[in-house]
Each structure stands twice: as C-alpha cells, then as structure tokens.
Amino acid sequence: MEKRFHSVRLDKEKCRACTNCLRRCPTEAIRVRGGRAHIIDELCIDCGECIRVCEYHAKIAVTDPLSSISRFKYKIALPAPSMYGQFKNIQSIAQVLAGLKRMGFDDVFEVARGADIVTRAVREKLRQPDLPRPLISAACPAIVRLIQVRFPDLIDHIVDIRQPMEVAALMAKKEFARKHGVKEEDIGCFFITPCPAKVTAIRSPIGHETSAVDGAISVLEIYGLLSGHTKRATADESLITATPWGVGWASSGGEAGAVCPDNSLAVDGIENVMRVLEEIENGKLKDLDFFEGNACTGGCVGGPLNFENNYVARNIIHRLIDKSSGLHPDEKVDVSLLNKYPLNNALPIHPSSAMKLDDDLLEAMRKMEEIEQISKRLPGYDCGSCGSPTCHAFAEDIVQGFAREMDCVHILKEQLRLMAQQMVHLAESTRE
C-alpha cells in the first residue's frame, strides 16, 4: 500500500500514553504500545481530533512555514473563510485581505469565492435526478477520508467536485497571470488553513493527481503578525469579491444553506457525523437531497489550527455577513465559469483497503472467525488499558500479530487469580 503524507504527527518525547487520543480517534487509528501512542497511517484521516484532546501536546500538525512563500516569484494568499472570524475588532473582511498583502503576498484570492463557484456547481448537480441521494459534500477532506475508511458504500454519494481551496487556486493563478502578463509556474498559491486535513489534502489529493495549491500555512503560524497588519490596513472594499454565502461556508450549515436550503442537513463534530452517515448507509435518509458534514465542532471555525474560540469566531463571521450584501452564487456566478475550469474530480475515489484483514479472501474469513472467538473471551469493557481502543480492535490486533491476549489487564488479573488459587491448593495438598 502506498504510504500517504500525514499532517498529524506524534511528538514521541511528549507522549505520556494517557489514552485520551486512543478513545477519541474516530477511525481507531491509534494504539498505545511500549509506553507511547502510535498512529496507524492507513487508518488516520488527519481530522485533528487527537490534537484537540491531547493534554500533553504530543500530537502536532505539520504545515508550511511562512518563509516557504519565498520559493515563488509571485505569491498569492488563499484565506479560508473561517480566518475572518479570528479577529474580534475588524469591521470588514477587507482589513484581513489588505493585511495579508502587507505581510508580503502579491495578491489575495478569497477561498470564499471558490466556495461560490462550488455552490453553483453543486446546485447544477442536484438537478440531475439519477444521482444517489443524499449527495454528500466533499468540502471537508476528513469526512471524505472517513467515508473511504468506515463507510465505503457511500463513496458514490460524494459530490465529485473539487474543494473550494482547489478551485480558488486554479482561478487565482489564471487571473493573476493574465492580469500581470506572467507565467503561471512562477505563481505560488498558499492556503491559510484552519485544520490539518486540508494540509493532507494538498499533499495527498483526493480525486485528482496533484493539487493546484502550493502550500498550507496554519492560521496559528501567521495570526500574530497578521493581527498587527489588520489594525493598520486600510479597508479597500474592492478586495472583497466573494458573496456572503461563500463566506458563510466558514460555519457549519453555511454550505448547506447556500447549496440546498430547502432539503439539506448539516452536522458538525465527527462523532455526530458518523451517526448520521450510519443512518444514510442504512437507507434512512433517502428523502434528503444534500448532506454537509464537518469534522470540527462548529465547522471550519472549530479547526484545531485556529486561534480564536470557535463560538466567538462563528459570531464574528455572522456579524461580518450581516453587515455585507451580495447576490446569491446562482445569480453572481455565470454558468460559463463551470466549464472554464476543471471543477470535477479527474480520478475516482476508492475505498480504503486499511480495514482488510487479508488479501486472500479465505484467509480473511478465517481471521474474522478467530476475531469473533477472541472477542467472546474478552470482557467487553472497551477500557483501552490494553493499548487498543476497543475490545474488538484488540481482538483484531491479536489476530494480526500486534498484541497478545495477556495484554488485557482483566484477563491477566483473572489469570493471576487462578494461579493464586492453584498455589493455595498446591500448598494445602503439600501440607497434607
């Protein structure tokens, strides 16, 4: 299996094997062995949940430093809509856009404008009656990877349209090159990211061979410097090109409200999303047209690489939207734009093979039976003390040769109790 880039990494020196991450990982990608956590690459979806819950800051996200923009002759910043919610005292989005230019970027291109294009494209898709329902948003790469790992039967439901940051990068390079008469290969587009999943989606794209984005800089990386520049920046309102609907993608429900306000469902928090995906998989939500799932609580404003509290950020976004006016993407985005750029995925999305027990079907079935037999012997507490997230995962680890039954403290305790009884019986029989 080809090894995929992961933004989420473990700092082994800081790990204390506390099992917080073990319990919260939605794909059971973490094990605790030898006194520290280990991340299973094939199962990790880079949702950042382990970063959020680790008290020892042993989980980190690898992003590009601000200095990496110097690799290109011309630099364009791609601010995520959620970024506007990081600054409490701004009166206009234009302050943030102008601040990015003062920091050294030659231009800024709102990812919210890419969201406007995607909104129009998805609305066109929804007019096709033969597509499976509900259509599932592809905007959150952590949710797409979750479906690949845990819900492969729903892959056909995923909208085959690129993420807004990809669309924004494609448009930004074309427009800047045409406006300034420069080569596209001299232009670097850098996404200002609220989460590690977007970083991974750039390095290991979903649905296309290479990303149009050249790097991902975390909001935390530039917050301090940008905060100062937003205070001094002149608010040139002409910098704002996105609609309020596109900016609204920053919060959970923003995408669904723009794409399909009448018959959609938006859910945030990866555990909540998993419950709804189970219902979709079981055919309980066939009457729904569109489903928006966000791994982070609150949507992208809740990303672990943001600076501001997600509830505060969401309020700031809503305030900025309420102060602005604009047409809906259906009215602002000309349909000709949908054919001007390669918006659709070039490659199919495949299920992850990480859950396969064996390439040989008969051997996989044998292992499955063994797992069930071992599971019946386990206590079913899902306590995590064995270093696996659940008893069933522990049984799988045993069968795959990664653990032993005696690693279960409850089985070990029972074994010690039996041994103690045997020693007592032996001592008594010896005295007689």
Side-chain angles (χ1 to χ4, degrees), residues 5-9 45-46 61-64 141 145 163 165-166 191-205 211 213-219 305:
F5 170 88
H6 285 283
S7 173
V8 175
R9 308 283 178 86
I45 60 174
D46 293 275
V62 175
T63 59
D64 294 301
R145 302 236 191 247
Q163 299 168 42
M165 70 172 181
E166 293 289 338
F191 180 61
I192 315 301
T193 183
C195 75
K198 295 287 201 308
V199 184
T200 300
I202 293 169
R203 300 285 189 91
S204 298
S211 173
V213 185
D214 299 290
I217 303 166
S218 77
V219 172
L305 302 185

PDB file of all heavy atoms in Angstrom, residues 5-9 45-46 61-64 141 145 163 165-166 191-205 211 213-219 305:
ATOM      1  N   PHE A   5       1.065  10.960   2.767  1.00  0.00           N
ATOM      2  CA  PHE A   5       1.506  12.042   3.645  1.00  0.00           C
ATOM      3  C   PHE A   5       0.455  12.271   4.726  1.00  0.00           C
ATOM      4  O   PHE A   5      -0.744  12.206   4.477  1.00  0.00           O
ATOM      5  CB  PHE A   5       1.706  13.328   2.829  1.00  0.00           C
ATOM      6  CG  PHE A   5       1.930  14.544   3.688  1.00  0.00           C
ATOM      7  CD1 PHE A   5       3.198  14.887   4.099  1.00  0.00           C
ATOM      8  CD2 PHE A   5       0.860  15.328   4.099  1.00  0.00           C
ATOM      9  CE1 PHE A   5       3.397  16.007   4.910  1.00  0.00           C
ATOM     10  CE2 PHE A   5       1.048  16.445   4.899  1.00  0.00           C
ATOM     11  CZ  PHE A   5       2.328  16.783   5.304  1.00  0.00           C
ATOM     12  N   HIS A   6       0.919  12.545   5.928  1.00  0.00           N
ATOM     13  CA  HIS A   6       0.014  12.895   7.025  1.00  0.00           C
ATOM     14  C   HIS A   6       0.505  14.174   7.686  1.00  0.00           C
ATOM     15  O   HIS A   6       1.685  14.290   8.049  1.00  0.00           O
ATOM     16  CB  HIS A   6      -0.046  11.781   8.068  1.00  0.00           C
ATOM     17  CG  HIS A   6      -0.849  10.596   7.638  1.00  0.00           C
ATOM     18  ND1 HIS A   6      -2.227  10.585   7.638  1.00  0.00           N
ATOM     19  CD2 HIS A   6      -0.469   9.384   7.170  1.00  0.00           C
ATOM     20  CE1 HIS A   6      -2.662   9.423   7.198  1.00  0.00           C
ATOM     21  NE2 HIS A   6      -1.616   8.671   6.905  1.00  0.00           N
ATOM     22  N   SER A   7      -0.408  15.101   7.852  1.00  0.00           N
ATOM     23  CA  SER A   7      -0.074  16.325   8.576  1.00  0.00           C
ATOM     24  C   SER A   7       0.011  16.064  10.075  1.00  0.00           C
ATOM     25  O   SER A   7       0.865  16.609  10.768  1.00  0.00           O
ATOM     26  CB  SER A   7      -1.125  17.406   8.293  1.00  0.00           C
ATOM     27  OG  SER A   7      -0.912  18.542   9.110  1.00  0.00           O
ATOM     28  N   VAL A   8      -0.892  15.215  10.576  1.00  0.00           N
ATOM     29  CA  VAL A   8      -0.914  14.912  12.008  1.00  0.00           C
ATOM     30  C   VAL A   8       0.241  13.965  12.351  1.00  0.00           C
ATOM     31  O   VAL A   8       0.375  12.894  11.762  1.00  0.00           O
ATOM     32  CB  VAL A   8      -2.255  14.274  12.420  1.00  0.00           C
ATOM     33  CG1 VAL A   8      -2.223  13.840  13.885  1.00  0.00           C
ATOM     34  CG2 VAL A   8      -3.398  15.261  12.193  1.00  0.00           C
ATOM     35  N   ARG A   9       1.054  14.377  13.293  1.00  0.00           N
ATOM     36  CA  ARG A   9       2.211  13.583  13.700  1.00  0.00           C
ATOM     37  C   ARG A   9       2.256  13.465  15.222  1.00  0.00           C
ATOM     38  O   ARG A   9       1.589  14.216  15.941  1.00  0.00           O
ATOM     39  CB  ARG A   9       3.515  14.243  13.230  1.00  0.00           C
ATOM     40  CG  ARG A   9       3.554  14.597  11.741  1.00  0.00           C
ATOM     41  CD  ARG A   9       3.785  13.404  10.865  1.00  0.00           C
ATOM     42  NE  ARG A   9       3.768  13.789   9.449  1.00  0.00           N
ATOM     43  CZ  ARG A   9       4.826  14.247   8.782  1.00  0.00           C
ATOM     44  NH1 ARG A   9       5.996  14.372   9.401  1.00  0.00           N
ATOM     45  NH2 ARG A   9       4.721  14.575   7.510  1.00  0.00           N
ATOM     46  N   ILE A  45      -7.166   9.815   9.304  1.00  0.00           N
ATOM     47  CA  ILE A  45      -7.820  10.700   8.338  1.00  0.00           C
ATOM     48  C   ILE A  45      -7.436  12.158   8.588  1.00  0.00           C
ATOM     49  O   ILE A  45      -8.018  13.061   7.989  1.00  0.00           O
ATOM     50  CB  ILE A  45      -9.348  10.529   8.361  1.00  0.00           C
ATOM     51  CG1 ILE A  45      -9.918  10.850   9.749  1.00  0.00           C
ATOM     52  CG2 ILE A  45      -9.737   9.114   7.936  1.00  0.00           C
ATOM     53  CD1 ILE A  45     -11.444  10.843   9.808  1.00  0.00           C
ATOM     54  N   ASP A  46      -6.486  12.405   9.486  1.00  0.00           N
ATOM     55  CA  ASP A  46      -5.964  13.747   9.768  1.00  0.00           C
ATOM     56  C   ASP A  46      -7.054  14.726  10.213  1.00  0.00           C
ATOM     57  O   ASP A  46      -7.004  15.911   9.915  1.00  0.00           O
ATOM     58  CB  ASP A  46      -5.228  14.309   8.550  1.00  0.00           C
ATOM     59  CG  ASP A  46      -3.953  13.548   8.244  1.00  0.00           C
ATOM     60  OD1 ASP A  46      -2.919  13.866   8.835  1.00  0.00           O
ATOM     61  OD2 ASP A  46      -3.994  12.598   7.433  1.00  0.00           O
ATOM     62  N   ALA A  61       0.510  19.213  14.129  1.00  0.00           N
ATOM     63  CA  ALA A  61       0.178  19.266  12.706  1.00  0.00           C
ATOM     64  C   ALA A  61       1.347  19.878  11.956  1.00  0.00           C
ATOM     65  O   ALA A  61       1.821  20.970  12.301  1.00  0.00           O
ATOM     66  CB  ALA A  61      -1.084  20.095  12.477  1.00  0.00           C
ATOM     67  N   VAL A  62       1.832  19.189  10.961  1.00  0.00           N
ATOM     68  CA  VAL A  62       2.934  19.685  10.132  1.00  0.00           C
ATOM     69  C   VAL A  62       2.342  20.560   9.027  1.00  0.00           C
ATOM     70  O   VAL A  62       1.526  20.102   8.225  1.00  0.00           O
ATOM     71  CB  VAL A  62       3.729  18.521   9.512  1.00  0.00           C
ATOM     72  CG1 VAL A  62       4.788  19.041   8.555  1.00  0.00           C
ATOM     73  CG2 VAL A  62       4.367  17.678  10.602  1.00  0.00           C
ATOM     74  N   THR A  63       2.728  21.821   9.003  1.00  0.00           N
ATOM     75  CA  THR A  63       2.283  22.760   7.974  1.00  0.00           C
ATOM     76  C   THR A  63       3.500  23.458   7.386  1.00  0.00           C
ATOM     77  O   THR A  63       4.627  23.260   7.853  1.00  0.00           O
ATOM     78  CB  THR A  63       1.307  23.803   8.552  1.00  0.00           C
ATOM     79  OG1 THR A  63       1.969  24.521   9.610  1.00  0.00           O
ATOM     80  CG2 THR A  63       0.061  23.132   9.122  1.00  0.00           C
ATOM     81  N   ASP A  64       3.277  24.287   6.388  1.00  0.00           N
ATOM     82  CA  ASP A  64       4.387  25.023   5.777  1.00  0.00           C
ATOM     83  C   ASP A  64       4.658  26.302   6.562  1.00  0.00           C
ATOM     84  O   ASP A  64       3.716  26.993   6.964  1.00  0.00           O
ATOM     85  CB  ASP A  64       4.059  25.381   4.327  1.00  0.00           C
ATOM     86  CG  ASP A  64       3.945  24.149   3.448  1.00  0.00           C
ATOM     87  OD1 ASP A  64       4.934  23.417   3.362  1.00  0.00           O
ATOM     88  OD2 ASP A  64       2.872  23.927   2.862  1.00  0.00           O
ATOM     89  N   PRO A 141     -12.176  17.347   3.797  1.00  0.00           N
ATOM     90  CA  PRO A 141     -11.425  16.149   3.403  1.00  0.00           C
ATOM     91  C   PRO A 141     -11.374  15.073   4.476  1.00  0.00           C
ATOM     92  O   PRO A 141     -11.251  13.892   4.160  1.00  0.00           O
ATOM     93  CB  PRO A 141     -10.019  16.690   3.086  1.00  0.00           C
ATOM     94  CG  PRO A 141      -9.937  18.020   3.758  1.00  0.00           C
ATOM     95  CD  PRO A 141     -11.329  18.554   3.803  1.00  0.00           C
ATOM     96  N   ARG A 145     -12.292  11.174   3.766  1.00  0.00           N
ATOM     97  CA  ARG A 145     -11.416  10.054   4.149  1.00  0.00           C
ATOM     98  C   ARG A 145     -12.137   9.126   5.136  1.00  0.00           C
ATOM     99  O   ARG A 145     -11.935   7.911   5.110  1.00  0.00           O
ATOM    100  CB  ARG A 145     -10.143  10.595   4.780  1.00  0.00           C
ATOM    101  CG  ARG A 145      -9.346  11.540   3.877  1.00  0.00           C
ATOM    102  CD  ARG A 145      -7.937  11.069   3.699  1.00  0.00           C
ATOM    103  NE  ARG A 145      -7.125  12.090   3.052  1.00  0.00           N
ATOM    104  CZ  ARG A 145      -6.605  11.964   1.833  1.00  0.00           C
ATOM    105  NH1 ARG A 145      -6.812  10.869   1.132  1.00  0.00           N
ATOM    106  NH2 ARG A 145      -5.851  12.916   1.314  1.00  0.00           N
ATOM    107  N   GLN A 163     -12.619  20.796  -3.928  1.00  0.00           N
ATOM    108  CA  GLN A 163     -12.837  21.651  -2.769  1.00  0.00           C
ATOM    109  C   GLN A 163     -12.664  23.122  -3.160  1.00  0.00           C
ATOM    110  O   GLN A 163     -11.920  23.433  -4.096  1.00  0.00           O
ATOM    111  CB  GLN A 163     -11.821  21.309  -1.682  1.00  0.00           C
ATOM    112  CG  GLN A 163     -11.901  19.886  -1.166  1.00  0.00           C
ATOM    113  CD  GLN A 163     -10.689  19.549  -0.329  1.00  0.00           C
ATOM    114  OE1 GLN A 163     -10.241  20.358   0.473  1.00  0.00           O
ATOM    115  NE2 GLN A 163     -10.131  18.360  -0.530  1.00  0.00           N
ATOM    116  N   MET A 165     -10.848  25.453  -1.932  1.00  0.00           N
ATOM    117  CA  MET A 165      -9.467  25.952  -1.968  1.00  0.00           C
ATOM    118  C   MET A 165      -8.787  25.580  -3.282  1.00  0.00           C
ATOM    119  O   MET A 165      -7.941  26.323  -3.795  1.00  0.00           O
ATOM    120  CB  MET A 165      -8.654  25.424  -0.778  1.00  0.00           C
ATOM    121  CG  MET A 165      -8.334  23.955  -0.814  1.00  0.00           C
ATOM    122  SD  MET A 165      -7.181  23.479   0.506  1.00  0.00           S
ATOM    123  CE  MET A 165      -7.006  21.710   0.160  1.00  0.00           C
ATOM    124  N   GLU A 166      -9.136  24.403  -3.851  1.00  0.00           N
ATOM    125  CA  GLU A 166      -8.570  23.986  -5.135  1.00  0.00           C
ATOM    126  C   GLU A 166      -9.090  24.875  -6.260  1.00  0.00           C
ATOM    127  O   GLU A 166      -8.330  25.312  -7.132  1.00  0.00           O
ATOM    128  CB  GLU A 166      -8.908  22.521  -5.414  1.00  0.00           C
ATOM    129  CG  GLU A 166      -8.254  21.525  -4.492  1.00  0.00           C
ATOM    130  CD  GLU A 166      -6.759  21.391  -4.743  1.00  0.00           C
ATOM    131  OE1 GLU A 166      -6.304  21.731  -5.860  1.00  0.00           O
ATOM    132  OE2 GLU A 166      -6.048  20.969  -3.819  1.00  0.00           O
ATOM    133  N   PHE A 191      -2.609  28.312   0.880  1.00  0.00           N
ATOM    134  CA  PHE A 191      -3.858  28.276   1.642  1.00  0.00           C
ATOM    135  C   PHE A 191      -3.566  28.542   3.112  1.00  0.00           C
ATOM    136  O   PHE A 191      -2.645  27.954   3.687  1.00  0.00           O
ATOM    137  CB  PHE A 191      -4.502  26.891   1.470  1.00  0.00           C
ATOM    138  CG  PHE A 191      -5.802  26.722   2.202  1.00  0.00           C
ATOM    139  CD1 PHE A 191      -6.897  27.521   1.924  1.00  0.00           C
ATOM    140  CD2 PHE A 191      -5.945  25.731   3.164  1.00  0.00           C
ATOM    141  CE1 PHE A 191      -8.107  27.350   2.589  1.00  0.00           C
ATOM    142  CE2 PHE A 191      -7.145  25.544   3.828  1.00  0.00           C
ATOM    143  CZ  PHE A 191      -8.226  26.365   3.538  1.00  0.00           C
ATOM    144  N   ILE A 192      -4.320  29.444   3.718  1.00  0.00           N
ATOM    145  CA  ILE A 192      -4.204  29.710   5.147  1.00  0.00           C
ATOM    146  C   ILE A 192      -5.199  28.785   5.832  1.00  0.00           C
ATOM    147  O   ILE A 192      -6.411  29.014   5.795  1.00  0.00           O
ATOM    148  CB  ILE A 192      -4.492  31.185   5.492  1.00  0.00           C
ATOM    149  CG1 ILE A 192      -3.776  32.126   4.513  1.00  0.00           C
ATOM    150  CG2 ILE A 192      -4.074  31.470   6.933  1.00  0.00           C
ATOM    151  CD1 ILE A 192      -2.256  31.966   4.470  1.00  0.00           C
ATOM    152  N   THR A 193      -4.687  27.728   6.433  1.00  0.00           N
ATOM    153  CA  THR A 193      -5.543  26.613   6.824  1.00  0.00           C
ATOM    154  C   THR A 193      -5.937  26.590   8.298  1.00  0.00           C
ATOM    155  O   THR A 193      -5.110  26.868   9.170  1.00  0.00           O
ATOM    156  CB  THR A 193      -4.872  25.270   6.461  1.00  0.00           C
ATOM    157  OG1 THR A 193      -5.736  24.186   6.788  1.00  0.00           O
ATOM    158  CG2 THR A 193      -3.541  25.087   7.205  1.00  0.00           C
ATOM    159  N   PRO A 194      -7.192  26.227   8.564  1.00  0.00           N
ATOM    160  CA  PRO A 194      -7.634  26.069   9.954  1.00  0.00           C
ATOM    161  C   PRO A 194      -7.461  24.647  10.477  1.00  0.00           C
ATOM    162  O   PRO A 194      -7.705  24.393  11.647  1.00  0.00           O
ATOM    163  CB  PRO A 194      -9.126  26.413   9.860  1.00  0.00           C
ATOM    164  CG  PRO A 194      -9.525  25.928   8.495  1.00  0.00           C
ATOM    165  CD  PRO A 194      -8.321  26.143   7.612  1.00  0.00           C
ATOM    166  N   CYS A 195      -7.072  23.686   9.601  1.00  0.00           N
ATOM    167  CA  CYS A 195      -7.035  22.292  10.050  1.00  0.00           C
ATOM    168  C   CYS A 195      -5.982  21.474   9.304  1.00  0.00           C
ATOM    169  O   CYS A 195      -5.587  21.834   8.187  1.00  0.00           O
ATOM    170  CB  CYS A 195      -8.412  21.643   9.880  1.00  0.00           C
ATOM    171  SG  CYS A 195      -8.787  21.243   8.165  1.00  0.00           S
ATOM    172  N   PRO A 196      -5.521  20.370   9.911  1.00  0.00           N
ATOM    173  CA  PRO A 196      -4.516  19.521   9.267  1.00  0.00           C
ATOM    174  C   PRO A 196      -5.058  18.720   8.094  1.00  0.00           C
ATOM    175  O   PRO A 196      -4.298  18.337   7.201  1.00  0.00           O
ATOM    176  CB  PRO A 196      -4.055  18.597  10.397  1.00  0.00           C
ATOM    177  CG  PRO A 196      -5.172  18.582  11.382  1.00  0.00           C
ATOM    178  CD  PRO A 196      -5.805  19.933  11.294  1.00  0.00           C
ATOM    179  N   ALA A 197      -6.363  18.436   8.067  1.00  0.00           N
ATOM    180  CA  ALA A 197      -6.929  17.640   6.976  1.00  0.00           C
ATOM    181  C   ALA A 197      -6.735  18.320   5.625  1.00  0.00           C
ATOM    182  O   ALA A 197      -6.503  17.665   4.610  1.00  0.00           O
ATOM    183  CB  ALA A 197      -8.418  17.385   7.227  1.00  0.00           C
ATOM    184  N   LYS A 198      -6.817  19.651   5.613  1.00  0.00           N
ATOM    185  CA  LYS A 198      -6.617  20.391   4.370  1.00  0.00           C
ATOM    186  C   LYS A 198      -5.152  20.296   3.921  1.00  0.00           C
ATOM    187  O   LYS A 198      -4.865  20.246   2.721  1.00  0.00           O
ATOM    188  CB  LYS A 198      -7.006  21.861   4.573  1.00  0.00           C
ATOM    189  CG  LYS A 198      -8.472  22.125   4.857  1.00  0.00           C
ATOM    190  CD  LYS A 198      -9.325  21.936   3.625  1.00  0.00           C
ATOM    191  CE  LYS A 198     -10.655  22.659   3.724  1.00  0.00           C
ATOM    192  NZ  LYS A 198     -11.429  22.396   4.923  1.00  0.00           N
ATOM    193  N   VAL A 199      -4.234  20.281   4.868  1.00  0.00           N
ATOM    194  CA  VAL A 199      -2.811  20.138   4.533  1.00  0.00           C
ATOM    195  C   VAL A 199      -2.579  18.801   3.847  1.00  0.00           C
ATOM    196  O   VAL A 199      -1.910  18.711   2.816  1.00  0.00           O
ATOM    197  CB  VAL A 199      -1.929  20.237   5.802  1.00  0.00           C
ATOM    198  CG1 VAL A 199      -0.446  20.185   5.418  1.00  0.00           C
ATOM    199  CG2 VAL A 199      -2.234  21.508   6.575  1.00  0.00           C
ATOM    200  N   THR A 200      -3.148  17.748   4.414  1.00  0.00           N
ATOM    201  CA  THR A 200      -3.011  16.412   3.832  1.00  0.00           C
ATOM    202  C   THR A 200      -3.659  16.352   2.460  1.00  0.00           C
ATOM    203  O   THR A 200      -3.141  15.709   1.540  1.00  0.00           O
ATOM    204  CB  THR A 200      -3.645  15.365   4.759  1.00  0.00           C
ATOM    205  OG1 THR A 200      -2.973  15.399   6.022  1.00  0.00           O
ATOM    206  CG2 THR A 200      -3.528  13.965   4.183  1.00  0.00           C
ATOM    207  N   ALA A 201      -4.798  17.036   2.294  1.00  0.00           N
ATOM    208  CA  ALA A 201      -5.495  17.033   1.004  1.00  0.00           C
ATOM    209  C   ALA A 201      -4.672  17.721  -0.080  1.00  0.00           C
ATOM    210  O   ALA A 201      -4.831  17.420  -1.268  1.00  0.00           O
ATOM    211  CB  ALA A 201      -6.852  17.714   1.141  1.00  0.00           C
ATOM    212  N   ILE A 202      -3.790  18.626   0.312  1.00  0.00           N
ATOM    213  CA  ILE A 202      -2.911  19.292  -0.649  1.00  0.00           C
ATOM    214  C   ILE A 202      -1.748  18.378  -1.026  1.00  0.00           C
ATOM    215  O   ILE A 202      -1.400  18.229  -2.198  1.00  0.00           O
ATOM    216  CB  ILE A 202      -2.388  20.627  -0.075  1.00  0.00           C
ATOM    217  CG1 ILE A 202      -3.540  21.623   0.079  1.00  0.00           C
ATOM    218  CG2 ILE A 202      -1.285  21.217  -0.967  1.00  0.00           C
ATOM    219  CD1 ILE A 202      -3.188  22.860   0.877  1.00  0.00           C
ATOM    220  N   ARG A 203      -1.163  17.742  -0.028  1.00  0.00           N
ATOM    221  CA  ARG A 203      -0.004  16.865  -0.281  1.00  0.00           C
ATOM    222  C   ARG A 203      -0.423  15.521  -0.878  1.00  0.00           C
ATOM    223  O   ARG A 203       0.310  14.934  -1.661  1.00  0.00           O
ATOM    224  CB  ARG A 203       0.751  16.622   1.029  1.00  0.00           C
ATOM    225  CG  ARG A 203       1.296  17.881   1.695  1.00  0.00           C
ATOM    226  CD  ARG A 203       2.511  18.424   0.989  1.00  0.00           C
ATOM    227  NE  ARG A 203       3.124  19.490   1.772  1.00  0.00           N
ATOM    228  CZ  ARG A 203       4.079  19.294   2.681  1.00  0.00           C
ATOM    229  NH1 ARG A 203       4.524  18.072   2.908  1.00  0.00           N
ATOM    230  NH2 ARG A 203       4.581  20.305   3.356  1.00  0.00           N
ATOM    231  N   SER A 204      -1.569  15.016  -0.468  1.00  0.00           N
ATOM    232  CA  SER A 204      -2.107  13.746  -0.994  1.00  0.00           C
ATOM    233  C   SER A 204      -3.544  13.987  -1.433  1.00  0.00           C
ATOM    234  O   SER A 204      -4.494  13.704  -0.711  1.00  0.00           O
ATOM    235  CB  SER A 204      -2.067  12.656   0.093  1.00  0.00           C
ATOM    236  OG  SER A 204      -0.750  12.391   0.501  1.00  0.00           O
ATOM    237  N   PRO A 205      -3.735  14.543  -2.627  1.00  0.00           N
ATOM    238  CA  PRO A 205      -5.062  14.979  -3.072  1.00  0.00           C
ATOM    239  C   PRO A 205      -6.067  13.832  -3.188  1.00  0.00           C
ATOM    240  O   PRO A 205      -5.705  12.680  -3.398  1.00  0.00           O
ATOM    241  CB  PRO A 205      -4.789  15.593  -4.453  1.00  0.00           C
ATOM    242  CG  PRO A 205      -3.338  15.923  -4.459  1.00  0.00           C
ATOM    243  CD  PRO A 205      -2.684  14.872  -3.618  1.00  0.00           C
ATOM    244  N   SER A 211      -2.363  18.793  -6.550  1.00  0.00           N
ATOM    245  CA  SER A 211      -3.132  19.928  -6.060  1.00  0.00           C
ATOM    246  C   SER A 211      -2.715  21.204  -6.773  1.00  0.00           C
ATOM    247  O   SER A 211      -1.549  21.375  -7.159  1.00  0.00           O
ATOM    248  CB  SER A 211      -2.918  20.093  -4.552  1.00  0.00           C
ATOM    249  OG  SER A 211      -3.535  21.273  -4.084  1.00  0.00           O
ATOM    250  N   VAL A 213      -2.869  23.921  -5.191  1.00  0.00           N
ATOM    251  CA  VAL A 213      -2.357  24.713  -4.066  1.00  0.00           C
ATOM    252  C   VAL A 213      -0.906  24.311  -3.806  1.00  0.00           C
ATOM    253  O   VAL A 213      -0.569  23.132  -3.814  1.00  0.00           O
ATOM    254  CB  VAL A 213      -3.207  24.488  -2.807  1.00  0.00           C
ATOM    255  CG1 VAL A 213      -2.743  25.402  -1.678  1.00  0.00           C
ATOM    256  CG2 VAL A 213      -4.688  24.718  -3.105  1.00  0.00           C
ATOM    257  N   ASP A 214      -0.060  25.296  -3.584  1.00  0.00           N
ATOM    258  CA  ASP A 214       1.387  25.034  -3.457  1.00  0.00           C
ATOM    259  C   ASP A 214       1.874  24.912  -2.023  1.00  0.00           C
ATOM    260  O   ASP A 214       3.014  24.530  -1.785  1.00  0.00           O
ATOM    261  CB  ASP A 214       2.166  26.145  -4.169  1.00  0.00           C
ATOM    262  CG  ASP A 214       1.839  26.207  -5.649  1.00  0.00           C
ATOM    263  OD1 ASP A 214       2.228  25.289  -6.385  1.00  0.00           O
ATOM    264  OD2 ASP A 214       1.156  27.171  -6.056  1.00  0.00           O
ATOM    265  N   GLY A 215       1.035  25.216  -1.074  1.00  0.00           N
ATOM    266  CA  GLY A 215       1.433  25.092   0.322  1.00  0.00           C
ATOM    267  C   GLY A 215       0.285  25.450   1.245  1.00  0.00           C
ATOM    268  O   GLY A 215      -0.713  26.041   0.820  1.00  0.00           O
ATOM    269  N   ALA A 216       0.423  25.066   2.513  1.00  0.00           N
ATOM    270  CA  ALA A 216      -0.602  25.353   3.516  1.00  0.00           C
ATOM    271  C   ALA A 216       0.062  25.914   4.763  1.00  0.00           C
ATOM    272  O   ALA A 216       0.911  25.263   5.373  1.00  0.00           O
ATOM    273  CB  ALA A 216      -1.393  24.095   3.854  1.00  0.00           C
ATOM    274  N   ILE A 217      -0.302  27.126   5.122  1.00  0.00           N
ATOM    275  CA  ILE A 217       0.235  27.800   6.303  1.00  0.00           C
ATOM    276  C   ILE A 217      -0.883  27.870   7.330  1.00  0.00           C
ATOM    277  O   ILE A 217      -2.005  28.282   7.014  1.00  0.00           O
ATOM    278  CB  ILE A 217       0.725  29.220   5.949  1.00  0.00           C
ATOM    279  CG1 ILE A 217       1.770  29.151   4.826  1.00  0.00           C
ATOM    280  CG2 ILE A 217       1.306  29.927   7.174  1.00  0.00           C
ATOM    281  CD1 ILE A 217       2.070  30.491   4.185  1.00  0.00           C
ATOM    282  N   SER A 218      -0.604  27.458   8.546  1.00  0.00           N
ATOM    283  CA  SER A 218      -1.660  27.440   9.554  1.00  0.00           C
ATOM    284  C   SER A 218      -2.023  28.853   9.995  1.00  0.00           C
ATOM    285  O   SER A 218      -1.190  29.766   9.963  1.00  0.00           O
ATOM    286  CB  SER A 218      -1.241  26.608  10.762  1.00  0.00           C
ATOM    287  OG  SER A 218      -0.343  27.322  11.576  1.00  0.00           O
ATOM    288  N   VAL A 219      -3.274  29.010  10.406  1.00  0.00           N
ATOM    289  CA  VAL A 219      -3.730  30.287  10.946  1.00  0.00           C
ATOM    290  C   VAL A 219      -2.869  30.683  12.143  1.00  0.00           C
ATOM    291  O   VAL A 219      -2.492  31.858  12.302  1.00  0.00           O
ATOM    292  CB  VAL A 219      -5.217  30.203  11.349  1.00  0.00           C
ATOM    293  CG1 VAL A 219      -5.650  31.471  12.086  1.00  0.00           C
ATOM    294  CG2 VAL A 219      -6.098  29.976  10.128  1.00  0.00           C
ATOM    295  N   LEU A 305      -6.273  24.359  14.186  1.00  0.00           N
ATOM    296  CA  LEU A 305      -5.172  25.277  13.870  1.00  0.00           C
ATOM    297  C   LEU A 305      -5.613  26.728  13.885  1.00  0.00           C
ATOM    298  O   LEU A 305      -4.867  27.619  13.488  1.00  0.00           O
ATOM    299  CB  LEU A 305      -4.563  24.928  12.497  1.00  0.00           C
ATOM    300  CG  LEU A 305      -4.028  23.498  12.353  1.00  0.00           C
ATOM    301  CD1 LEU A 305      -3.337  23.311  11.008  1.00  0.00           C
ATOM    302  CD2 LEU A 305      -3.075  23.151  13.485  1.00  0.00           C
TER     303      LEU A 305
END
